[in-house]
């Protein structure tokens, strides 16, 4: 491994690990060691500071050269009938390379966080929504409703950067903004206003969130509820929320779909979207779905460009077919329909699920496994070891990622293209 004693400091570094892509990090690099000096949080610090632990590929747990590992991976692909590709904590170029290989070998594209994303995508495809961006939130929001979500759990700096920001394009007093939590109370203090005002919290059990969303949508349409309470919440309190949103010049309803872990959660998301659409008859309101940890929103974006579909796409018939149920990796593996698993994740150290099928991992150095995969090729991280691009959770900004250090780690996109080339040379 290339070592250097030179210490360098980088400013305004974007994070590839968080969906809001904080781009104001100050980072120190000394040799292979990376340390955040300013503006780190519970998501970005472990993402950047994880040490390099593996640099040599392994075949069945034994050290191998890259050429040997690529050859073995291509042999596995050549012998499969339906390989499934999942993971996808990746940047733009890595996802493009993966999709080219998937098309070539007639495999299936899925993502480790697809279940959460589909709670949004199913609504967008069925009835659409009126969505905003992080920039619009930062500059315009007057009332923010967080539904069923603890925002700080996945986005520790969300309030600092987009709600309590000191400057806006329109010179508004952000200190007067209001926040309403329905369902989950915040675990941190960031949602508290600069003047000490706590957010309004309306507690609700997660299994009751669908009833509350339906009630809010009905009230926004002017319906009168027959019940005096919904999930233990007085109907008058829910009416006051709708009234406050209608009075606001600009309101936003947000949620993290990955935290809505109950059956048919997409129907709850749809009710929220319908409420917002109704409010826009009298004022301005929008939704802001939050997500995109470790590049998964980027992978969905790239898949949509190339195939026309955002995730769970099969090339088994020689062309892309979208099916959010049948093309799920877990289902394909559990039913013995897939006969190989390729796990690709350069940003996240999350390992692949245990499986009886041949498994190839092109993953971040330091990934640990329940059982050693048939092939493991450790790769570098875009935004640390290589330059790249990723998309924020609002899908409108492609953030540049910068190389911060030089290492001997391979680039996932290069590995994937090498496998595809090896396939071509053996057929």
């Amino acid at each position: 491994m290339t070592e250097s004693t030179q210490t360098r400091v980088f400013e305004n570094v974007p994070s590839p690990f968080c969906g809001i892509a904080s781009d104001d990090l100050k980072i120190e690099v000394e040799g292979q060691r990376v340390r955040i000096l300013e503006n780190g949080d519970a998501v970005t610090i472990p993402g950047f500071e994880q040490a390099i632990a593996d640099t040599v590929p392994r075949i069945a747990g034994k050290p191998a050269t890259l050429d040997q590992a690529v050859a073995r991976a291509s042999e596995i692909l050549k012998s499969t009938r339906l390989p499934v590709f999942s993971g996808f904590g990746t940047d733009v170029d890595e996802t493009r390379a993966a999709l080219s290989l998937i098309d070539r070998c007639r495999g299936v594209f899925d993502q480790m966080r697809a279940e959460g994303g589909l709670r949004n995508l199913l609504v967008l495809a069925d009835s659409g929504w009126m969505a905003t961006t992080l920039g619009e939130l930062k500059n315009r929001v007057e009332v923010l409703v967080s539904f069923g979500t603890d925002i700080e759990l996945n986005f520790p700096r969300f309030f600092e950067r987009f709600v309590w920001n000191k400057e806006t394009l329109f010179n508004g007093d952000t200190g007067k903004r209001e926040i309403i939590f329905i369902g989950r109370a915040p675990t941190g203090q960031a949602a508290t206003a600069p003047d000490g005002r706590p957010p309004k919290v309306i507690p609700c059990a997660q299994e009751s969130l669908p009833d509350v969303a339906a009630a809010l949508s009905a009230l926004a349409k002017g319906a009168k509820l027959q019940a005096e309470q919904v999930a233990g919440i007085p109907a008058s309190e829910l009416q006051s929320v709708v009234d406050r949103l209608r009075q606001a010049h600009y309101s936003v309803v947000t949620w993290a779909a990955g935290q809505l872990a109950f059956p048919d959660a997409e129907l709850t998301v749809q009710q929220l979207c319908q409420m917002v659409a109704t409010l826009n008859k009298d004022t301005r309101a929008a939704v802001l779905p939050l997500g995109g940890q470790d590049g998964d929103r980027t992978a969905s974006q790239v898949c949509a460009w190339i195939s026309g579909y955002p995730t769970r796409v099969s090339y088994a018939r020689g062309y892309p077919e979208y099916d959010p149920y049948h093309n799920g990796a877990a289902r394909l593996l559990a039913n013995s329909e897939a006969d190989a698993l390729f796990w690709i994740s350069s940003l996240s150290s999350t390992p692949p699920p245990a499986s009886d099928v041949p498994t190839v991992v092109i993953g971040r150095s330091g990934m640990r496994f329940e059982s050693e995969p048939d092939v493991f090729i450790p790769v570098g991280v875009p935004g640390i070891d290589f330059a790249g691009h990723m998309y924020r959770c609002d899908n409108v900004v492609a953030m540049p990622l910068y190389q911060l250090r030089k290492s001997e780690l391979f680039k996932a996109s290069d590995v994937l293209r090498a496998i595809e080339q090896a396939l071509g040379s053996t057929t």
Side-chain angles (χ1 to χ4, degrees):
M1 180 177 296
T2 303
E3 292 288 349
S4 172
T5 58
Q6 180 184 8
T7 299
R8 293 169 295 163
V9 175
F10 298 85
E11 297 190 4
N12 298 320
V13 176
S15 169
F17 306 107
C18 178
I20 63 175
S22 298
D23 58 355
D24 61 349
L25 305 181
K26 186 175 181 179
I27 291 181
E28 177 186 81
V29 179
E30 181 179 3
Q32 303 300 309
R33 184 181 62 83
V34 178
R35 185 165 68 95
I36 296 182
L37 300 179
E38 294 179 7
N39 299 326
D41 58 47
V43 172
T44 56
I45 290 175
F48 276 99
E49 297 187 358
Q50 178 178 319
I52 294 175
D54 309 279
T55 59
V56 177
R58 299 195 297 267
I59 298 176
K62 297 181 179 180
T65 66
L66 177 61
D67 289 343
Q68 290 170 335
V70 165
R72 178 62 185 135
S74 66
E75 288 173 3
I76 290 172
L77 271 183
K78 188 179 178 182
S79 65
T80 60
R81 177 181 49 82
L82 186 66
V84 61
F85 291 70
S86 191
F88 289 100
T90 49
D91 79 340
V92 169
D93 189 48
E94 293 168 340
T95 309
R96 289 175 66 93
L99 284 165
S100 179
L101 177 59
I102 295 169
D103 186 5
R104 171 71 177 77
C105 68
R106 298 198 173 188
V108 175
F109 170 86
D110 191 16
Q111 296 171 269
M112 57 183 166
R113 295 192 181 96
E115 288 296 332
L118 283 166
R119 293 165 194 156
N120 292 329
L121 291 170
L122 292 172
V123 175
L124 182 59
D126 182 67
S127 54
W129 56 32
M130 304 179 73
T132 190
T133 67
L134 291 170
E136 283 287 283
L137 174 79
K138 179 177 181 178
N139 287 303
R140 297 183 183 276
V141 72
E142 184 177 324
V143 179
L144 174 69
V145 174
S146 174
F147 191 87
T149 298
D150 179 2
I151 297 176
E152 294 174 82
L153 189 64
N154 299 125
F155 312 95
R157 299 185 65 207
F158 177 87
F159 294 101
E160 171 196 344
R161 289 180 57 81
F162 301 108
V163 179
W164 306 128
N165 45 292
K166 296 180 180 179
E167 297 180 356
T168 74
L169 288 177
F170 312 106
N171 298 317
D173 184 359
T174 62
K176 295 182 179 179
R177 290 173 169 175
E178 299 177 38
I179 303 175
I180 302 171
F181 282 84
I182 299 177
R184 298 183 68 169
T187 53
Q189 298 298 315
T192 299
D195 63 5
R197 285 182 298 110
K200 179 180 178 64
V201 179
I202 302 176
C204 173
Q206 187 167 93
E207 60 269 20
S208 298
L209 289 173
D211 295 336
V212 175
L216 289 170
S217 180
L219 290 169
K221 294 173 183 176
K224 301 295 183 182
L225 301 184
Q226 298 299 312
E228 294 184 359
Q229 293 186 339
V230 177
I233 305 170
S236 59
E237 188 167 12
L238 295 178
Q239 181 67 63
S240 70
V241 172
V242 173
D243 292 342
R244 182 65 188 95
L245 295 177
R246 185 170 280 119
Q247 294 162 5
H249 292 95
Y250 196 91
S251 61
V252 173
V253 178
T254 189
W255 62 87
Q259 296 184 26
L260 304 181
F262 50 85
D264 303 315
E266 67 274 8
L267 299 179
T268 297
V269 171
Q270 191 168 48
Q271 293 283 6
L272 298 175
C273 294
Q274 290 177 354
M275 175 186 70
V276 166
T278 303
L279 289 171
N280 273 277
K281 295 178 181 179
D282 303 308
T283 186
R284 294 188 65 191
V287 301
L288 180 64
L290 294 173
Q293 300 300 96
D294 291 323
D296 58 348
R297 188 63 58 86
T298 299
S300 293
Q301 282 278 82
V302 176
C303 186
W305 304 341
I306 291 175
S307 71
Y309 305 107
T311 193
R312 293 197 171 168
V313 178
S314 173
Y315 285 85
R317 300 188 187 185
Y319 54 86
E321 291 184 290
Y322 164 71
D323 191 311
Y325 173 72
H326 288 100
N327 294 337
R331 194 199 69 82
L332 290 170
L333 292 169
N335 292 344
S336 300
E337 295 178 37
D339 51 5
L341 171 63
F342 275 63
W343 189 262
I344 303 163
S345 183
S346 61
L347 290 168
S348 170
S349 294
T350 302
S355 174
D356 294 330
V357 302
T359 300
V360 174
V361 177
I362 301 168
R364 181 170 184 174
S365 171
M367 189 177 290
R368 293 293 175 258
F369 309 102
E370 182 177 331
S371 63
E372 184 72 18
D374 294 75
V375 179
F376 172 50
I377 303 177
V379 295
V381 181
I384 299 179
D385 299 293
F386 308 105
H389 291 86
M390 68 164 290
Y391 272 82
R392 288 191 327 195
C393 66
D394 54 7
N395 293 327
V396 299
V397 174
M399 301 290 295
L401 303 174
Y402 306 114
Q403 183 180 19
L404 305 181
R405 70 183 175 196
K406 291 183 179 180
S407 70
E408 294 181 357
L409 292 166
F410 308 111
K411 191 174 184 179
S413 55
D414 291 340
V415 173
L416 290 160
R417 292 186 178 106
I419 295 172
E420 183 174 0
Q421 186 176 8
L423 275 181
S425 65
T426 58
T427 57

